Amino acid sequence: MSFFEEWVELDLNPILSFSSNSKIIYSNSEAQFLLNRIKQKELFDLALTYAPKTFGAQTSYIDLSIKNYTFYAITVMYENEDEIHMKLYKSAMVKKENNLNIKNINVTNIFTLVDLAISTSKIKTNINFIKNYDPSIPEFKLDASTFIKTLNQIFEAFKDKKSVTCSILLKIGEYIKIDGKKYSLISVEISSNEKNDFSSINIKENNSFILTLDEDKITIDLPLIL
C-alpha cells in the first residue's frame, strides 16, 4: 500500500468509489463503518445528487444528518462514465464511534442477556415480545453490564407498545475495524410497528457497541470478538 493509499485509508471521513451500476469499488475504513448503518444505494444516490454536471470534481456545503452522522460537506468527482467517487466530511460534533472500548469485555451468551432484559420488562409491562434469534451465533466477548443496562433503557422506551420484536443476527458481509483488525458484527435489533420517542435513552460514550436510533427501532451492533 502506497503512502497516499494508506493516507486515504486512515482518513476519518468516509471515502467511496462506485461503478456506474452502483457497486462499491473502494471504501476506506470509515466508509465501511458507515455502510454498517446506511444502505449502499442510499450513498450512491447521494453521490449522484451532488455530482458535478460535467467531468471533474465539485464540493457542496450541506447540513445533512443520516442515522448518527452529521455531514457538513460532500465532494463528488468523476472523470468517465464508469466510476464516481465521493468523500463525506463529518461534522466535528460527531462521535467517533469506531473507537470502541473493548478492554473490559468477557465471554458472554448474548441470548441469555437479552432474555434477562425481556423478563425484567415483562414484570412491569404487557408487551408481547417476538424473538428472532440466529442460534448459530456463538458466545463472544462484550461488556455485559453496560449492554444489559442499555437493553433495560431501550425496553423502557417501548413500554407503551403492544408488540416488540427482538432480533439477534449476524450481519452478512459487514465488519468493523478495531485497532487494525476486522471483526464481524452481531446486530441486536429492537423494533415495533410504530414511531417512538427515544429521547429518554442516555448512553455513556466509549462503549463496546454501536447504538443506532431510528423512528421505530433501535439497533445495537457489537463486534464479534471470540
Side-chain angles (χ1 to χ4, degrees):
M1 184 180 292
S2 70
F3 169 78
F4 291 104
E5 290 173 329
E6 186 172 359
W7 191 252
V8 170
E9 184 68 19
L10 293 173
D11 198 310
L12 292 177
N13 295 297
I15 300 173
L16 303 101
S17 296
F18 296 95
S19 67
S20 58
N21 59 356
S22 80
K23 290 187 177 180
I24 293 178
I25 301 171
Y26 171 79
S27 59
N28 68 349
S29 295
E30 191 64 26
Q32 291 162 14
F33 189 78
L34 179 66
L35 286 163
N36 290 329
R37 285 175 288 177
I38 300 174
K39 292 181 179 179
Q40 177 176 321
K41 186 179 184 306
E42 188 175 352
L43 293 173
F44 177 71
D45 289 344
L46 188 65
L48 295 182
T49 299
Y50 290 96
K53 294 181 179 180
T54 58
F55 292 145
Q58 176 174 295
T59 298
S60 304
Y61 291 92
I62 57 178
D63 183 10
L64 176 66
S65 294
I66 309 177
K67 302 294 183 181
N68 290 356
Y69 283 88
T70 301
F71 302 106
Y72 72 88
I74 178 174
T75 296
V76 180
M77 181 182 74
Y78 67 99
E79 297 178 343
N80 54 58
E81 300 290 347
D82 299 322
E83 298 179 4
I84 188 168
H85 314 280
M86 175 176 69
K87 179 174 181 177
L88 289 161
Y89 299 84
K90 293 193 301 182
S91 171
M93 63 182 170
V94 176
K95 175 184 171 187
K96 298 184 182 73
E97 291 176 316
N98 54 338
N99 295 326
L100 300 183
N101 180 7
I102 60 172
K103 294 181 180 179
N104 299 313
I105 58 176
N106 295 288
V107 175
T108 309
N109 187 306
I110 192 168
F111 306 116
T112 301
L113 294 181
V114 175
D115 284 344
L116 177 61
I118 288 174
S119 297
T120 301
S121 180
K122 282 184 174 180
I123 296 173
K124 302 179 288 184
T125 69
N126 295 316
I127 298 174
N128 174 37
F129 285 96
I130 301 169
K131 300 179 185 179
N132 180 24
Y133 295 173
D134 179 353
S136 68
I137 295 173
E139 293 187 347
F140 61 97
K141 294 180 180 179
L142 61 95
D143 182 348
S145 177
T146 302
F147 179 69
I148 198 74
K149 289 177 182 177
T150 301
L151 284 176
N152 288 336
Q153 285 192 49
I154 292 171
F155 289 145
E156 177 67 19
F158 281 98
K159 64 182 179 182
D160 297 326
K161 301 297 179 285
K162 292 181 179 180
S163 180
V164 171
T165 299
C166 298
S167 301
I168 305 176
L169 307 166
L170 172 66
K171 286 196 165 183
I172 304 299
E174 297 185 13
Y175 64 89
I176 184 173
K177 269 188 178 180
I178 304 175
D179 296 330
K181 187 175 180 180
K182 292 182 181 179
Y183 295 96
S184 297
L185 285 170
I186 301 298
S187 181
V188 180
E189 183 180 291
I190 300 100
S191 63
S192 67
N193 294 323
E194 309 170 55
K195 291 184 179 180
N196 208 359
D197 179 11
F198 299 127
S199 59
S200 62
I201 296 177
N202 181 24
I203 306 301
K204 71 174 185 177
E205 294 189 1
N206 201 27
N207 276 323
S208 60
F209 53 78
I210 308 155
L211 188 72
T212 305
L213 310 180
D214 289 319
E215 290 184 342
D216 60 350
K217 70 179 179 180
I218 293 181
T219 304
I220 305 173
D221 289 327
L222 304 106
L224 181 57
I225 305 174
L226 302 174

